[in-house]
Amino acid sequence: MAGTAARGKVTIATLGSHCALQVLKGARDEGLGTVLVSEKKRLDLYQRFSFIDEIIEVNAFSEILDDSIATKLRKKNAILIPHGTLISQMSSDEIEKIKTPIFGNKWILRWEANREMKEKLLREAGLRTPRSVRSKNEINGLCIVKLHGAAGGRGYYLAWNRESFEEGAQRLVEQKTIQGENDLYIQEFIRGVPVYLQYFYSPLSKHLELLGIDRRYESDIDGLGRIPAKQQLGAGAEPSYNVIGNLPLVLRESLLDEVYKMGEGFVKASERLVAPGMTGPFCLEGVYDSEGRFTTFEFSARIVAGTNLYVDGSPYSDLLYDEPMSMGRRIAREIKIAKKKGKLGAVVT
Ligand code: AMP
């Protein structure tokens, strides 16, 4: 990376949303500077936290592409931590044009955003994935219909035949959520329990760490069980999958060996397909079925919001560290070690 950050104090920068608080708290805990790029509407929230050294106000997050913001960040030796809001609000082309050094591999974010590339990487990693259904005429059994991009489950619906697919699509068109059926993606619905595996891969030590596990709390699918069957039928309840928050989870210990192997398979596959590979935080997202088999329906190639649960460490990070180690703090620790070794170039792109 450019020489300046290698010399002065490093500042951790991120966008005001998603997991910004945890990331900047972790940076402060590691003695690094912190800067937040925030929209005006969120200033009230973020001004409450004393570990944020400076807030750069913007009208839209895409302003981080502007020279004036890039210069401000460069003067602070900033390294930008990408998260879900960056992915959902900026295109892959825009993200790749950001001049501020990005922690991890910015090229792999395109693989997260693009459905075909995503499936290719999951297959290359040897992971079990849900069958994707190419056309509404091929729906055979329960399917989940998704929107492209990181929409946080918003707008997803279930379909079991052509008619139920078309009905759902029509609803989304009327709500102006999509323009037409081509904006939808159909995938086999996996029965079981959803689980999110939070990993960190260090390009410096070449070790994979499992730092936490969570499940999402989604509205209103996770509330439907509170309505008795008779009333559900009467009300014609249509579930939605909008993420509201996250709940902590630990797995049966006998499943952990496979969890590590799946993560390592993913790291190796990413090294083959998209140099320099999957460095830093990432998440494999899937469903454990009744046989204890994991099917991966998604990955996130950057920090996920479920890590916000573990600001003070998780049952898994506690097994690896004798101090509270959030994902945000782990990122800052990697940057600190890289700087000390003169290897910042290995942790940013
Ligand atoms: P996503 O935005 O892809 O992470 O999915 C949002 C939610 O939809 C997940 O947390 C799951 O509850 C559900 N989901 C996604 N894909 C599948 C699938 N193939 N089978 C079952 N549930 C799924």
Side-chain angles (χ1 to χ4, degrees):
M1 76 176 277
T4 44
R7 286 193 295 275
K9 180 176 171 176
V10 171
T11 299
I12 299 298
T14 199
L15 304 183
S17 185
H18 195 266
C19 56
L21 292 171
Q22 185 220 143
V23 163
L24 298 186
K25 172 73 168 56
R28 167 62 69 85
D29 288 345
E30 288 297 299
L32 303 181
T34 60
V35 60
L36 184 80
V37 178
S38 175
E39 292 172 326
K40 210 174 262 155
K41 63 181 182 196
R42 296 269 174 87
L43 288 178
D44 278 352
L45 169 68
Y46 288 112
Q47 276 161 353
R48 294 170 194 270
F49 301 96
S50 60
F51 53 80
I52 303 178
D53 296 334
E54 188 186 336
I55 301 184
I56 299 177
E57 191 184 318
V58 292
N59 293 313
F61 288 132
S62 55
E63 284 176 38
I64 56 167
L65 284 167
D66 294 355
D67 281 341
S68 60
I69 306 276
T71 306
K72 268 191 197 164
L73 291 172
R74 190 172 56 247
K75 283 191 183 144
K76 299 188 131 315
N77 290 326
I79 294 176
L80 183 70
I81 313 302
H83 57 51
T85 304
L86 184 86
I87 312 284
S88 65
Q89 301 216 353
M90 290 174 76
S91 70
S92 301
D93 285 343
E94 285 173 324
I95 292 171
E96 288 168 8
K97 279 192 202 122
I98 295 173
K99 292 195 192 99
T100 311
I102 292 184
F103 183 73
N105 179 357
K106 71 175 167 189
W107 313 108
I108 203 169
L109 299 176
R110 183 179 284 277
W111 291 67
E112 174 182 336
N114 179 293
R115 218 33 100 174
E116 275 85 44
M117 292 167 94
K118 176 173 271 179
E119 281 183 10
K120 186 172 172 191
L121 185 43
L122 289 174
R123 271 199 309 274
E124 177 78 14
L127 294 163
R128 183 198 314 272
T129 53
R131 190 169 52 87
S132 46
V133 179
R134 298 290 162 202
S135 132
K136 61 183 176 184
N137 300 316
E138 289 169 25
I139 297 177
N140 171 20
L142 192 59
C143 289
I144 182 160
V145 184
K146 302 184 173 188
L147 277 63
H148 291 285
R154 224 166 303 134
Y156 290 11
Y157 65 94
L158 298 182
W160 49 96
N161 55 23
R162 186 188 157 122
E163 289 71 40
S164 53
F165 169 85
E166 285 174 346
E167 250 174 55
Q170 185 57 32
R171 227 181 8 254
L172 291 175
V173 169
E174 281 161 16
Q175 290 164 3
K176 299 202 173 16
T177 308
I178 58 166
Q179 291 193 326
E181 291 181 3
N182 283 343
D183 296 335
L184 296 172
Y185 170 82
I186 315 168
Q187 195 176 63
E188 173 193 9
F189 183 86
I190 308 295
R191 274 175 53 189
V193 291
V195 172
Y196 291 72
L197 305 167
Q198 306 163 4
Y199 300 93
F200 184 93
Y201 179 70
S202 164
L204 300 174
S205 72
K206 311 247 179 277
H207 277 131
L208 179 72
E209 298 165 17
L210 175 72
L211 288 186
I213 303 178
D214 72 292
R215 59 157 299 187
R216 289 184 178 172
Y217 199 40
E218 296 164 340
S219 190
D220 57 0
I221 184 72
D222 289 320
L224 280 184
R226 293 166 56 88
I227 305 172
K230 193 169 138 201
Q231 281 78 2
Q232 279 189 25
L233 288 172
E238 281 287 346
S240 55
Y241 295 79
N242 190 15
V243 181
I244 300 297
N246 302 77
L247 301 169
L249 190 82
V250 286
L251 285 181
R252 287 173 64 158
E253 194 156 311
S254 55
L255 295 171
L256 286 184
D257 185 48
E258 196 206 359
V259 166
Y260 268 98
K261 289 195 170 115
M262 290 191 299
E264 280 160 357
F266 187 78
V267 167
K268 290 212 171 72
S270 65
E271 279 166 3
R272 291 193 291 273
L273 292 184
V274 48
M278 184 66 262
T279 55
F282 68 99
C283 182
L284 294 182
E285 313 175 358
V287 170
Y288 275 101
D289 67 16
S290 54
E291 305 297 320
R293 278 181 313 221
F294 190 72
T295 303
T296 312
F297 56 72
E298 281 281 355
F299 68 78
S300 295
R302 35 79 196 172
I303 186 169
V304 287
T307 59
N308 290 343
L309 281 165
Y310 305 121
V311 173
D312 213 21
S314 81
Y316 294 104
S317 70
D318 283 353
L319 297 172
L320 299 173
Y321 292 92
D322 291 326
E323 59 194 322
M325 188 56 70
S326 68
M327 191 64 86
R329 186 169 184 181
R330 183 63 189 86
I331 292 169
R333 176 73 55 95
E334 189 79 357
I335 289 170
K336 233 168 81 173
I337 298 172
K339 180 157 189 275
K340 207 162 152 201
K341 292 186 168 172
K343 288 188 169 173
L344 270 179
V347 299
V348 300
T349 44

